[in-house]
DNA sequence: GCTATTTGTAACTAACTAAGTTACATGAAA
DNA sequence: TTTCATGTAACTTAGTTAGTTACAAATAGC
């Protein structure tokens, strides 16, 4: 799992969970999908559990399942649950009292506020169901997935 | 200079340059504004020079000046010249051939394309002149800047 | 020309972040 | 009660970026 690929890796995992709704997938299995470690998976999607996007169960036959229908899970929620920032730049004051910095931060924060609203709005209209539909389309065309579902 | 504050730090520097159009400011001076090292400044704004946003001159009386009027310098250009990414997440394939990943990346890239277009559009309407105007407003109200211009 | 000043840049160091790993307690099913 | 799975803490490793040192190259003023 590369740096900065937490969102796409998580989506990858979630699509697999959506495609196997009848059974729980273990972190071990999920980890192999995204070529990483089970502990990294658990750590990464722990926030999704708290958000009700997935549920986990321990012990024999345990693992991870979606917490609700793919249609009801938006990328906006997932992104928030992962603790991802949509915009990368920081606007924390480094010279409190400097009017130049205050002006810069004010303008930048205005932009950030508006931009984040816009991005969140866009992401809220993309659901996990859209992803699985896209996957199904590709699957029906080519007829095989690289790691058997 | 903190991590992820390259954009705001650079804007800070540029506003100072805009406020002193008659003379060149040395990297030494610019560095004190953002509490960092002259070499870091030179390295950070080297890209702005290549983009014509600033110009630099060596030797006695040398230093940095804006390459054109503040009205003609947009945050979009600055952001690009700094090599900043507007969206932080990666969509590079880690499992080439995996249809699930392909679907995820396709949807995410669609979103990214649209989002970047939108953000760039917004940033292109904010100019350095807007920042200096905001600074002037604050300055006229309070009457003093923390580090003398 | 010589000197002082300033950028340009390479090379290295330090600090920070995030992934990867190990280890083990906790809980649940067979 | 054994086995399997998550939950989580603690540590290690890798990668990134800021900070630093050093010095060559260019320019202005004398």
């Amino acid at each position: 799992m590369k740096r900065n690929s937490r969102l796409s890796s998580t989506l990858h995992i979630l699509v697999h969970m959506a495609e196997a709704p009848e059974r729980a997938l273990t972190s071990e299995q999920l980890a192999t999908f995204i070529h990483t470690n089970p502990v990294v998976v658990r750590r990464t999607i722990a926030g999704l559990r708290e958000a009700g996007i997935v549920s986990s169960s321990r012990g024999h036959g345990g693992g991870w399942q979606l917490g609700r229908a793919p249609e009801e899970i938006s990328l906006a929620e997932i992104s928030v649950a992962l603790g991802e920032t949509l915009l990368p730049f920081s606007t924390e004051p480094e010279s409190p009292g400097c009017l130049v910095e205050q002006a810069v931060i004010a303008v930048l924060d205005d932009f950030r506020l508006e931009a984040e609203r816009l991005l969140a709005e866009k992401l809220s209209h993309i659901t996990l169901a859209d992803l699985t539909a896209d996957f199904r389309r590709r699957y029906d065309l080519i007829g095989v997935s690289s790691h058997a579902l």
Side-chain angles (χ1 to χ4, degrees), chain A:
Chain A
M1 181 177 173
K2 291 200 197 99
R3 214 183 170 90
N4 279 350
S5 68
R6 272 172 63 198
L7 180 56
S8 58
S9 293
T10 300
L11 293 177
H12 188 157
I13 280 176
L14 291 177
V15 170
H16 275 288
M17 285 167 54
E19 289 292 321
E22 74 287 348
R23 70 182 194 280
L25 299 177
T26 67
S27 352
E28 187 86 38
Q29 294 173 300
L30 298 176
T32 64
F33 292 145
I34 58 172
H35 303 117
T36 185
N37 189 293
V39 178
V40 173
V41 168
R42 295 202 279 268
R43 202 155 58 194
T44 302
I45 62 179
L48 303 194
R49 182 185 50 230
E50 278 142 42
I53 296 169
V54 298
S55 68
S56 63
S57 53
R58 296 171 152 189
H60 224 112
W64 301 81
Q65 281 178 296
L66 291 186
R68 50 189 130 98
E71 292 78 16
E72 304 297 322
I73 300 175
S74 76
L75 298 214
E77 287 174 278
I78 295 167
S79 171
V80 168
L82 285 173
E84 299 278 83
T85 48
L86 266 355
L87 283 304
F89 59 85
S90 137
T91 51
E92 275 179 40
E94 297 179 39
S95 318
C98 170
L99 294 179
V100 172
E101 184 180 80
Q102 284 174 24
V104 169
I105 288 181
V107 170
L108 237 35
D109 273 345
D110 265 9
F111 166 73
R112 178 213 292 290
L113 210 70
E114 171 73 356
E116 279 178 346
R117 201 190 54 72
L118 251 144
L119 298 185
E121 158 75 11
K122 287 210 166 293
L123 284 178
S124 71
H125 291 313
I126 309 175
T127 71
L128 201 53
D130 297 324
L131 289 173
T132 61
D134 194 314
F135 161 69
R136 286 250 150 248
R137 223 171 294 130
R138 290 163 196 272
Y139 185 78
D140 290 344
L141 267 173
I142 298 181
V144 72
S145 160
S146 84
H147 34 245
L149 276 165

